[in-house]
């Protein structure tokens, strides 16, 4: 229960208090001579009384008051009279307010305002026209002003409204009210008796721009006053493309529709709802429009010719402009790629790309805002040497395979060049042979019991430095490492014989994974590599190569790694050799390649999977990777390994598909025409990665305000160097629904920003051509469109917007009210401060003290002996000779 609260003492003229110390001091100085002959007690009493009287008089002149805060009701009722509120509802709200005022009683302070687009006090003399927009911000702002008074600025605002604002910013007004201690409560006008059933198409959310062939998400927002069954039809350019039965619940209903957009140009989209019951039909349909642009351009980069042929066929059938080229031809800069919206990198090892080429892809996505789809295969991700590379940094998955408690047995064969040239070194580095020895030692250290190791050293001839050996324990590893340490250089270079020996040894080993790593800095004139690699493939033996220095036969080694199913590495620093060798060993022992039948399971909601009905096909394999935290894993295996993942990278997007795209490979069922959704799946993957079909240097928008009576035309323009394009002649040519056209200038409002707000007189669809000129030359153009419905937004609401009303109440400590008694029963928010004047009491006290002052001066006090030299006298009781009276300071009766 609220109680009175004291606020202390206040002064109307506080500056007068500054005169108090000097006045008291003056009294003490002036009266001292007059009371000097008085006894000490009488003198002190007299001075104290005079000082107190003066103090009381000065305090009274300062007019002090005593403050008391008493709770009281300070309420403003705001009644909605906009177009969306019926006459029956207005009458009900006014009656509710009259009853609430009656129950609050005469000691409350109340006011009533009515609002639509504007707000004013009810009964102010000028009639507020009914209808129009709903501006809750205006209502709350005026109500706050009505609450303010010299006594109190706090209080309560009671909104009687349906909550559908079409103008202003109610949350902004709410924050200001909360800061001033004002609460906002609401009375939902749905309580105004039995309302007839009503369904409206409130809005139709359609992307303003799209590409030809895009499958876009359209959302029809329907308002309903009750549980109503209805049919929703969506038409594209007067052709019905979707029809579905919906059950609408009271309030807001959002119904999604996937719509494929056809050729370029302007397209009208209409949503119509046919309810079983409805009171009016003019708000049951709504038309909006969009601009469809050219389909995107895609560059497919394949490591081997023809390996992406089926994927290219699918994308072209979807309408995309697809170009194909070898991934080895990625340019060192992004300039040749600016004409593409996305790139697809198919089963390409990172080791086959230079650092500049990887940087090109990185800048293509991160700074140009384009898309990249990375498709797996035997030479991608972990097996492709992605780990630690620039390419891996871009991916929504980490190329490092997850650690497994179980793994397949491994057979690793190292073929090390120990020719005379390996004894040399660059700069102050250790020799190439020393680094090769260190590489072998570190690689062996990564092996585990059960693995097999073999090391062949060669120059013009070869020898088994470590014959085929199965690791038993740590002692085995140390023994092998000791033998590696004694390797010395000498002789020429002959690669084929040691490679042949390693193959023959590997073919006799029983191991799930067999891998050969060749390290050399020289060239060899041997022939017959292709035949050897074909035999290796039969035994599933893979080969990676490491070219140490530019003197190595880099072309041969790259070709051997490609045909051998491994990775090609090139380094001009001998110190990098151990890292490369351990990386190869790590890839091998972690067994990134998973070849078995795999079921793809949805892991998270993703736009890449929309409109894919039924079960997904199985896969025959994939590359094991690790998901990244910020990425969305759309599909995964039963073990939790990512199959399809995507994320935003800089300004662009990157998608990773960890299986392959080969018609005869792991994903054959996903590319087969037998799966009816193959085209939809692959086109959605690629199209999602593309940027929006707008010019980033010339962003335009035509946005009607909620009421539909005005539209904001806006342009954001940049120059080629990324700076703001200022001071340019910017215009908008508007094609009106009646076929006429109008050109308006868009003045500059901010750096690079040009905008203008226009009144819209007629409903219908408007087309806008934005242009920018430098002199007489048009340098930029862009299209846009917008629609103004009939009736406006006010006629498209049904029921009560409880979401907004609850937001306003919760943000200010208000609540929902149903009966006037709910308002009366709640504790008052405001307190009225009453001031009690203290100056009459101070004057009265001063008047009462004045006779006491006179009495204190005239009253006889007990005698006191005064000694003056050798003589004495008695004061206040004995006559004293005149000279003695002069000496003791007695002057007359005072």
């Amino acid at each position: 229960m609220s109680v009175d609260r004291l606020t202390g003492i206040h002064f109307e003229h506080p500056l007068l208090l500054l005169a108090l110390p000097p006045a008291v001091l003056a009294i003490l100085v002036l009266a001292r001579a007059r009371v000097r002959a008085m006894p000490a007690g009488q003198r002190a009493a007299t001075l104290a009384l005079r000082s107190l009287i003066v103090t009381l008089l000065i305090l009274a002149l300062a007019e002090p008051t005593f403050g008391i805060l008493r709770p009281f009701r300070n309420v403003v009722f705001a009644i909605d009279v906009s177009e969306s509120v019926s006459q029956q509802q207005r009458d009900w709200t006014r009656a509710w307010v009259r009853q609430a005022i009656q129950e609050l009683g005469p000691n409350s302070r109340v006011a009533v305002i009515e609002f639509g687009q504007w707000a004013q006090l009810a009964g102010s003399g000028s009639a507020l026209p009914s209808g129009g927009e709903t501006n809750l911000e205006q209502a709350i702002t005026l109500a706050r002003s009505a609450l303010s008074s010299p006594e109190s600025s706090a209080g309560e605002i009671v909104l009687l409204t349906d909550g559908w604002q079409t103008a202003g910013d109610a949350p902004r007004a709410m924050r200001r009210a909360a800061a001033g201690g004002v609460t906002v409560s609401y009375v939902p006008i749905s309580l105004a008796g039995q309302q007839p059933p009503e369904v409206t198409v409130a809005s139709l959310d359609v992307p303003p721009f799209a590409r030809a062939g895009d499958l876009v998400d359209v959302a029809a927002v329907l308002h309903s006053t009750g549980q109503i069954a209805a049919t929703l039809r969506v038409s594209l350019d007067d052709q019905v493309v979707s029809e579905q039965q919906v059950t609408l619940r009271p309030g807001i209903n959002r119904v999604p529709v996937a719509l494929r957009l056809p050729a370029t140009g302007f397209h009208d989209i209409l949503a119509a709802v046919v309810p079983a019951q409805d009171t009016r039909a003019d708000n049951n349909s709504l038309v909006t429009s969009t601009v469809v642009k050219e389909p995107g351009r895609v560059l497919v980069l394949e490591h081997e010719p023809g390996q992406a042929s089926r994927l290219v066929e699918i994308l072209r059938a979807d309408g995309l402009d697809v170009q194909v080229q070898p991934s080895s031809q990625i340019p060192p800069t992004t300039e040749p790629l600016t004409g593409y919206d996305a790139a697809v990198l198919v089963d390409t090892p990172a080791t086959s790309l230079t650092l500049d080429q990887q940087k090109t892809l990185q800048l293509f996505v991160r700074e140009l805002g384009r898309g990249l789809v990375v498709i797996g295969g035997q030479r991608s991700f972990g097996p492709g040497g992605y780990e630690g590379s620039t390419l891996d940094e871009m991916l929504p998955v980490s190329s490092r395979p997850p650690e497994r408690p179980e793994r397949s047995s491994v057979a690793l064969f190292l073929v090390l060049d120990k020719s005379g040239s390996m004894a040399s070194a660059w700069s102050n580095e250790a020799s190439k042979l020393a680094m090769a020895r260190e590489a072998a030692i570190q690689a062996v250290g990564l092996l585990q019991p059960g693995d097999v190791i073999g090391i062949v050293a060669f120059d013009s001839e070869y020898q088994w430095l470590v014959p085929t050996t199965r690791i038993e324990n740590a002692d085995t590893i140390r023994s092998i490492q000791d033998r590696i340490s004694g390797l010395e250089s000498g002789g020429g270079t002959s690669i084929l014989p040691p490679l042949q020996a390693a193959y023959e040894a590997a073919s006799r080993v029983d191991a799930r994974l067999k891998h050969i790593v060749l390290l050399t800095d020289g060239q060899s004139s041997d022939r017959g590599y292709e035949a050897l690699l074909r035999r290796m493939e039969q035994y599933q033996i893979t080969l990676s190569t490491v070219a140490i220095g530019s003197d190595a036969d880099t072309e041969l080694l790259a070709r051997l790694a490609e045909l051998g199913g491994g990775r090609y590495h090139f380094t001009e620093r001998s110190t990098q050799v151990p890292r490369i060798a351990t990386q190869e060993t790590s890839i091998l022992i972690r067994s990134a390649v998973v070849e078995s039948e795999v079921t793809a399971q949805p892991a998270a909601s993703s736009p890449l999977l929309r409109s894919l009905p039924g079960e997904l096909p199985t896969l025959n394999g994939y590359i094991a990777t690790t998901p990244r935290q910020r990425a969305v894993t759309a599909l995964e295996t039963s073990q939790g390994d990512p199959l399809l993942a995507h994320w935003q990278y800089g300004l662009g997007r990157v998608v990773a598909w960890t299986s392959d795209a080969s018609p005869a490979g792991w994903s054959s069922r996903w590319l087969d025409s037998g799966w009816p959704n193959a085209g939809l799946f692959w086109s959605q993957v690629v199209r999602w990665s593309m940027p929006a079909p707008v010019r980033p240097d010339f962003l335009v928008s035509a946005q009607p305000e909620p009421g539909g009576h005005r539209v904001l035309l806006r342009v954001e323009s940049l120059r080629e160097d990324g700076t703001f394009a200022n001071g340019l002649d910017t215009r908008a040519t508007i094609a009106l629904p009646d076929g006429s056209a109008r050109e308006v200038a868009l003045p500059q409002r901010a750096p690079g920003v040009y905008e203008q707000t226009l009144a819209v007189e007629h409903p219908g669809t408007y087309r806008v051509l934005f242009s920018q000129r430098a002199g007489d030359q048009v340098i930029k153009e862009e299209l846009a469109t917008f629609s103004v419905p009939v009736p406006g937004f006010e006629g498209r609401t049904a029921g009560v917007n409880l979401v907004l009303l609850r937001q306003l109440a919760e943000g200010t400590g208000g609540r929902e009210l149903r009966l006037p008694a709910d308002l009366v029963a709640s504790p008052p928010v405001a307190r009225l401060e009453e001031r009690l004047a203290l100056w009459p009491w101070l004057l009265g006290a001063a008047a009462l003290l004045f006779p006491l002052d006179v009495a204190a001066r005239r009253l006889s006090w007990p005698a006191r002996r005064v000694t003056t030299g050798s003589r004495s006298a008695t004061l206040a009781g004995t006559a004293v000779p005149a000279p003695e009276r002069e000496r003791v300071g007695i002057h007359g009766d005072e």
Side-chain angles (χ1 to χ4, degrees):
M1 181 177 180
S2 299
V3 296
D4 294 353
R5 184 159 57 91
L6 304 179
T7 62
I9 297 176
H10 311 272
F11 292 90
E12 292 296 325
H13 310 290
L15 293 180
L16 288 177
L17 298 177
L18 298 176
L20 184 58
V24 173
L25 182 61
I27 290 295
L28 295 176
V29 172
L30 295 175
R32 183 177 181 83
R34 294 179 177 271
V35 299
R36 186 178 301 162
M38 293 182 180
Q42 185 180 12
R43 187 168 60 248
T46 301
L47 293 175
L49 284 171
R50 290 190 179 185
S51 298
L52 182 58
I53 291 171
V54 170
T55 299
L56 291 173
L57 290 174
I58 293 177
L59 289 175
L61 291 174
E63 294 189 37
T65 57
F66 198 70
I68 303 175
L69 277 182
R70 291 197 170 96
F72 83 114
R73 305 313 294 259
N74 188 17
V75 184
V76 174
F77 299 94
I79 300 176
D80 188 349
V81 295
S82 64
E83 182 183 343
S84 60
V85 180
S86 67
Q87 186 61 48
Q88 175 190 357
Q89 291 170 327
R90 295 172 193 164
D91 293 342
W92 180 87
T93 55
R94 292 184 176 113
W96 194 100
V97 170
R98 285 195 296 270
Q99 183 179 352
I101 294 174
Q102 200 170 32
E103 295 195 20
L104 285 173
N107 293 328
S108 298
R109 205 182 74 164
V110 298
V112 181
I113 68 171
E114 294 184 346
F115 69 95
Q117 182 177 358
W118 309 103
Q120 70 178 32
L121 286 171
S124 61
S126 56
L128 182 71
S130 300
E133 300 178 356
T134 302
N135 194 326
L136 289 169
E137 182 181 18
Q138 283 274 338
I140 296 173
T141 301
L142 180 59
R144 283 182 57 216
S145 299
L147 287 172
S148 299
S149 68
E151 299 87 9
S152 174
S153 61
E156 302 162 272
I157 300 173
V158 178
L159 298 173
L160 296 96
T161 176
D162 59 6
W164 297 110
Q165 69 166 349
T166 56
D169 187 348
R172 178 172 59 192
M174 171 205 71
R175 292 187 291 271
R176 293 171 179 168
V182 175
T183 65
V184 178
S185 298
Y186 65 93
V187 180
I189 62 173
S190 57
L191 304 173
Q194 183 66 33
Q195 299 297 316
E198 174 68 4
V199 176
T200 71
V201 182
S203 63
L204 189 57
D205 296 340
V206 177
F209 304 96
R211 299 181 186 276
D214 275 358
L215 186 68
V216 300
D217 291 327
V218 174
V221 180
L222 312 178
H223 291 178
S224 175
T225 58
Q227 192 89 3
I228 299 176
T231 301
L232 176 65
R233 297 191 184 98
V234 178
S235 302
L236 177 66
D237 298 330
D238 299 327
Q239 297 293 322
V240 177
V241 293
S242 173
E243 182 171 325
Q244 56 182 306
Q245 303 299 315
V246 293
T247 300
L248 305 177
R249 64 182 186 278
I252 303 174
N253 299 263
R254 190 178 183 89
V255 183
V257 178
L259 181 64
R260 186 173 293 279
L261 297 176
T264 58
F266 294 101
H267 295 277
D268 292 332
I269 300 171
L270 179 143
V273 62
V274 184
Q277 308 176 23
D278 199 6
T279 56
R280 51 188 292 189
D282 62 337
N283 57 13
N284 287 0
S285 63
L286 183 64
V287 177
T288 189
S289 55
T290 187
V291 179
V292 177
K293 300 190 175 184
E294 295 289 338
R297 295 192 68 209
V298 180
L299 177 62
V300 174
L301 302 164
E302 53 184 11
H303 186 60
E304 292 185 357
Q307 66 180 147
S309 57
R310 175 58 182 155
L311 176 62
V312 171
E313 180 184 334
I314 289 175
L315 296 179
R316 285 175 175 166
D318 190 60
L320 294 172
D321 181 2
V322 182
Q323 304 295 321
V324 183
Q325 73 178 40
S327 54
S328 59
Q329 295 182 10
I330 295 175
T333 65
T334 58
E335 186 175 355
L337 301 182
T338 55
Y340 295 98
D341 299 293
V344 181
L345 187 66
V346 181
D347 195 17
T348 299
T351 52
S352 68
L353 302 177
T354 66
L355 179 59
D356 285 343
Q357 289 176 318
Q358 294 185 45
K359 286 288 187 182
T360 293
L361 293 178
Q362 184 182 51
L363 297 176
F364 178 73
V365 177
R366 188 179 65 191
E367 297 188 6
L368 297 186
R370 310 304 164 81
L372 176 65
V373 180
V374 179
I375 294 178
Q378 295 278 4
R379 300 176 179 86
S380 64
F381 300 107
Y386 284 22
E387 188 176 341
S389 67
T390 300
L391 191 58
D392 185 53
E393 180 186 325
M394 305 168 57
L395 297 178
V397 295
S398 169
S399 297
R400 182 182 182 87
E403 299 292 341
R404 309 281 193 203
E406 73 288 338
R407 67 179 182 88
S408 302
S409 58
V410 167
L412 174 65
F413 290 85
L414 301 177
V415 181
L416 306 180
D417 187 348
K418 70 177 188 70
S419 61
S421 59
M422 289 289 288
S424 63
W426 297 288
S427 185
N428 295 323
E429 295 180 358
S431 70
K432 290 182 277 185
L433 181 61
M435 289 296 99
R437 287 196 302 261
E438 181 62 25
I441 290 172
Q442 292 184 15
V444 172
L446 295 175
L447 299 178
Q448 298 179 14
D451 294 336
V452 173
I453 181 65
I455 303 176
V456 183
F458 71 93
D459 44 28
S460 54
E461 297 180 354
Y462 74 88
Q463 67 181 75
W464 280 97
L465 183 63
V466 178
T468 305
T469 304
R470 189 171 297 276
I471 304 295
E472 299 292 341
N473 49 43
D475 291 338
T476 309
I477 293 176
R478 283 193 293 270
S479 176
I480 294 172
Q481 291 174 333
D482 290 341
R483 276 183 274 174
I484 296 171
S485 300
L487 181 63
E488 299 293 339
S489 63
T493 304
S494 180
I495 297 175
L496 183 59
L499 206 56
Q500 173 81 22
Y503 149 70
E504 292 174 354
S507 64
R508 294 190 294 268
V509 173
D510 182 16
R512 172 70 178 82
L513 300 172
K514 305 174 185 180
H515 190 57
I516 300 172
V517 180
L518 169 64
L519 298 92
T520 180
D521 72 339
Q523 302 191 17
S524 174
S525 59
D526 299 325
R527 296 292 182 267
Y529 292 105
E530 289 78 5
L532 173 60
L533 291 171
R534 283 194 295 270
R535 294 195 298 273
M536 291 171 59
E537 185 178 4
Q538 295 173 2
Y539 286 93
Q540 296 183 334
I541 301 171
T542 55
L543 170 67
S544 291
T545 60
V546 182
I548 308 174
S550 56
D551 291 339
D553 192 342
T554 55
E555 183 176 348
L556 170 65
L557 296 177
R559 182 62 177 165
L560 291 178
E562 181 179 352
L563 296 177
R567 291 153 296 282
Y568 164 69
H569 305 270
F570 170 79
T571 179
E572 290 189 317
R573 298 184 60 188
S574 61
T575 53
Q576 293 294 318
V577 175
R579 183 190 64 80
I580 295 171
T582 54
Q583 181 184 23
E584 280 291 317
T585 309
S586 297
I587 292 171
L588 180 66
I589 64 177
R590 286 200 303 265
S591 185
V593 179
V594 179
E595 290 188 304
S596 62
E597 189 171 62
V598 177
T599 300
Q601 302 176 350
S605 177
S606 168
L608 278 63
L609 303 178
R610 61 185 175 181
S611 304
L612 288 178
E615 294 184 359
L616 299 172
T618 57
L619 296 161
N620 293 326
Y622 66 97
I623 304 297
T625 58
T626 304
R628 296 195 192 272
Q629 288 186 349
R630 293 190 299 106
V632 176
T633 301
L635 293 175
E636 64 182 11
T637 69
S638 58
Q639 290 184 304
D641 295 340
L643 289 173
L644 180 66
H646 56 86
W647 71 353
Q648 186 81 25
Y649 183 75
L651 297 178
R653 294 171 170 178
V654 181
V655 181
W657 170 251
T658 61
S659 190
D660 63 7
S662 173
W666 298 328
S667 304
S668 57
R669 299 182 187 91
W670 290 69
L671 294 155
D672 191 354
S673 57
W675 184 41
N677 296 314
L680 177 61
F681 171 73
W682 290 105
S683 66
Q684 284 188 165
V685 167
V686 175
R687 285 178 178 271
W688 180 86
S689 72
M690 296 180 181
V694 296
R695 294 184 56 171
D697 63 338
F698 195 62
L699 296 174
V700 304
S701 63
Q703 184 61 48
E705 294 185 0
H709 301 301
R710 291 172 296 276
V711 62
L712 174 64
L713 304 179
R714 180 182 173 91
V715 170
E716 297 179 35
S717 183
L718 298 174
R719 301 188 188 276
E720 291 183 0
D721 59 0
T723 59
F724 295 116
N726 297 323
L728 296 178
D729 180 9
T730 306
R731 307 178 191 180
T733 302
I734 308 168
L736 279 62
D738 61 4
S740 61
R742 175 187 174 190
E743 184 180 75
V744 297
L746 304 184
Q748 185 169 355
R749 307 293 188 185
V753 177
Y754 303 79
E755 61 182 27
Q756 182 69 278
T757 300
L758 302 176
V760 180
E761 299 178 359
H762 306 289
T765 300
Y766 293 75
R767 320 294 195 197
V768 185
L769 171 63
F770 292 91
S771 62
Q772 205 162 53
R773 294 172 170 84
D776 295 332
Q777 182 180 4
V778 176
I779 56 175
K780 295 176 184 177
E781 283 188 336
E782 189 63 277
L783 296 171
T785 179
F786 67 94
S787 299
V788 177
V790 180
F793 188 79
E794 281 290 332
R796 296 187 173 276
T797 61
V800 177
N801 187 1
L802 290 175
V803 174
L804 176 60
L805 293 177
R806 286 169 181 160
Q807 178 187 356
L808 300 179
E810 292 171 1
T812 59
R815 62 216 176 280
E816 179 181 309
L817 304 174
R818 291 184 169 269
L819 301 173
D822 297 338
L823 176 62
V824 177
S826 61
V829 174
R831 289 178 179 270
L832 179 64
E833 185 177 27
E834 294 185 359
R835 298 285 181 89
L836 176 64
L838 298 179
W839 65 267
W841 298 91
L842 296 173
L843 287 179
L848 290 175
L849 291 175
F850 184 74
L852 294 178
D853 175 50
V854 175
R857 287 186 282 112
R858 295 185 179 276
L859 187 65
S860 296
W861 290 71
R864 179 172 62 88
R865 175 71 60 185
V866 179
T867 301
T868 57
S870 59
R871 295 177 296 173
S872 64
T874 301
L875 301 181
T878 304
V880 181
E884 295 297 325
R885 293 171 63 184
E886 293 286 350
R887 188 176 296 119
V888 298
I890 298 176
H891 305 279
D893 293 335
E894 291 185 350

